[in-house]
């Protein structure tokens, strides 16, 4: 991803103000005589710059929008967006069931409904990191690296770029991944509306909107911090009339990056691309 430029005015205005407010917040005073030795500023890790990527794909017509034109190839941790691929692998392998009534099986709807990270951990435990890695390789999901163990999708060995997310999702929503069609259909049907959909002509607002007129949105969000860098994702699908779009929004920056930064970016770019 590249540094945010003029095409990202919406996300810049919100995110920059937020980061500035955090930086300007009064610091707690230390009592007299309580000294602290500060490290050499030159030795401190450099604060990451604000970067962003947005991709919009028409399922029937190909790529519609890429902002910026270059720079969506940098891999970062997928966070909870990984649960889409994990649930698809689990369904195909038979370790996850879409039917909540199935005995002993994890409920797919709960797993994809913005559930806590424990659901991803259970998925990985049931399938095994090695077998999950095999599925991710088949899906060409980023570097498909599960070798770090633990929550490898939350700052471990697994990384994916926005371009690779788009490749994976566009194949999922066109039922072209090397998995059963039933598994792909189950994953698509159980994805819900993102919790932060930005709407309004005179500004942005955060609301829960499953359908706006003839437009419906499903997807998955993620927000995490890896080292000194914050990562915000929003990915999903939009049906508007007879058209179907897949979108990927990713914003990275300092730890003070707002959790919904990718949603802010997606709102502006989806409207610019004619999907909202």
């Amino acid at each position: 991803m590249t540094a945010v430029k003029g095409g990202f005015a919406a996300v810049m205005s919100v995110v920059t103000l937020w980061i500035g407010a955090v930086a300007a917040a009064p610091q707690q005073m230390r009592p007299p005589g309580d000294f602290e030795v500060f490290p050499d500023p030159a030795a401190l890790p450099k604060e990451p710059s604000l970067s962003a990527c947005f991709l919009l794909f028409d399922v029937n017509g190909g790529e519609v929008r890429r902002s910026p034109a270059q720079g969506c190839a940098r891999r970062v941790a997928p966070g909870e967006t990984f649960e889409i691929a994990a649930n698809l692998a689990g369904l195909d392998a038979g370790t996850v069931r879409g039917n909540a009534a199935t005995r002993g099986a994890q409920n797919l709807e709960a797993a994809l409904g913005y559930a806590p990270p424990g659901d991803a951990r259970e998925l990985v435990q049931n399938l095994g990191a090695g077998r999950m890695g095999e599925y991710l390789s088949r899906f060409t999901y980023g570097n498909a690296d599960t070798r770090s163990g633990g929550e490898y999708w939350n700052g471990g060995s697994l990384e994916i770029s926005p371009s690779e997310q788009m490749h994976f999702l566009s194949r999922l929503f066109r039922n072209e991944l090397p998995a059963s069609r039933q598994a792909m259909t189950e994953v698509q049907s159980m994805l819900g509306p993102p919790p932060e959909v930005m709407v309004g002509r005179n500004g942005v607002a955060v609301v829960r909107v499953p359908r706006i007129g003839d437009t419906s949105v499903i997807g998955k969000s993620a927000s995490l911090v890896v080292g000194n860098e914050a990562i915000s994702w929003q990915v999903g699908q939009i049906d508007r009339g007879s058209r179907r779009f897949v979108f990927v929004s990713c914003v990275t920056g300092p730890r003070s990056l707002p959790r919904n930064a990718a949603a802010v970016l997606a709102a502006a770019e989806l409207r610019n691309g004619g999907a909202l």
Side-chain angles (χ1 to χ4, degrees):
M1 292 180 286
T2 60
V4 179
K5 297 184 179 180
F8 297 111
V11 71
M12 277 294 287
S13 61
V14 174
V15 174
T16 303
L17 285 172
W18 179 285
I19 293 173
V22 171
Q27 303 298 313
Q28 183 176 1
M29 297 295 291
R30 302 181 66 86
D34 189 4
F35 297 99
E36 181 175 353
V37 177
F38 292 94
D40 181 354
L44 293 173
K46 187 176 181 180
E47 183 121 300
S49 59
L50 183 64
S51 298
C53 172
F54 178 82
L55 298 166
L56 182 63
F57 183 86
D58 187 326
V59 171
N60 296 317
E63 187 172 282
V64 175
R65 192 169 188 83
R66 176 181 288 260
S67 300
Q70 305 292 331
C72 293
R74 183 190 168 215
R75 286 174 171 169
V76 295
E80 289 184 19
T81 64
F82 160 71
E83 291 177 7
I84 299 175
N87 277 281
L88 179 61
L91 275 167
D92 191 71
T95 60
V96 174
R97 305 288 173 82
N99 185 351
T102 303
R103 64 183 183 279
Q106 182 176 343
N107 182 358
L108 175 64
E109 187 169 8
L112 285 179
Y114 298 90
D119 289 307
R121 289 194 296 267
E122 185 177 347
L123 279 166
V124 169
Q125 183 178 2
N126 290 341
L127 191 59
R131 196 173 180 195
M132 182 68 78
E134 294 174 3
Y135 266 104
L136 296 179
S137 294
R138 286 166 52 185
F139 298 160
T140 60
Y141 188 88
N143 62 6
D145 189 349
T146 64
R147 292 174 294 178
S148 68
E151 294 187 14
Y152 48 76
W153 60 95
N154 270 332
S157 55
L158 181 63
E159 294 185 328
I160 190 169
S161 70
S163 292
E164 289 168 333
Q165 280 267 33
M166 175 56 76
H167 183 62
F168 167 73
L169 290 169
S170 61
R171 293 171 70 204
L172 169 65
F173 288 113
R174 289 186 295 182
N175 298 309
E176 294 177 353
L177 286 169
S180 71
R181 189 179 185 91
Q182 180 179 353
M184 288 185 282
T185 301
E186 289 272 14
V187 169
Q188 294 171 40
S189 66
M190 292 301 177
L191 282 167
E196 293 166 338
V197 178
M198 315 304 290
V199 295
R201 295 183 179 180
N202 300 319
V204 293
V206 182
V207 292
R208 293 179 179 268
V209 183
R211 180 171 291 276
I212 307 172
D214 65 347
T215 303
S216 63
V217 183
I218 60 174
K220 189 74 174 172
S221 297
S223 177
L224 65 155
V225 175
V226 180
N228 68 335
E229 181 177 57
I231 304 167
S232 176
W233 286 98
Q234 189 166 86
V235 304
Q237 174 191 283
I238 295 177
D239 285 331
R240 183 175 186 183
S242 61
R243 301 183 71 183
R244 173 165 291 181
F245 301 92
V246 180
F247 70 93
V248 171
S249 178
C250 183
V251 182
T252 64
R255 295 172 67 93
S256 53
L257 183 77
R259 291 173 59 88
N260 68 338
V264 177
L265 173 63
E269 295 299 320
L270 286 169
R271 285 194 296 270
N272 291 338
L276 280 182

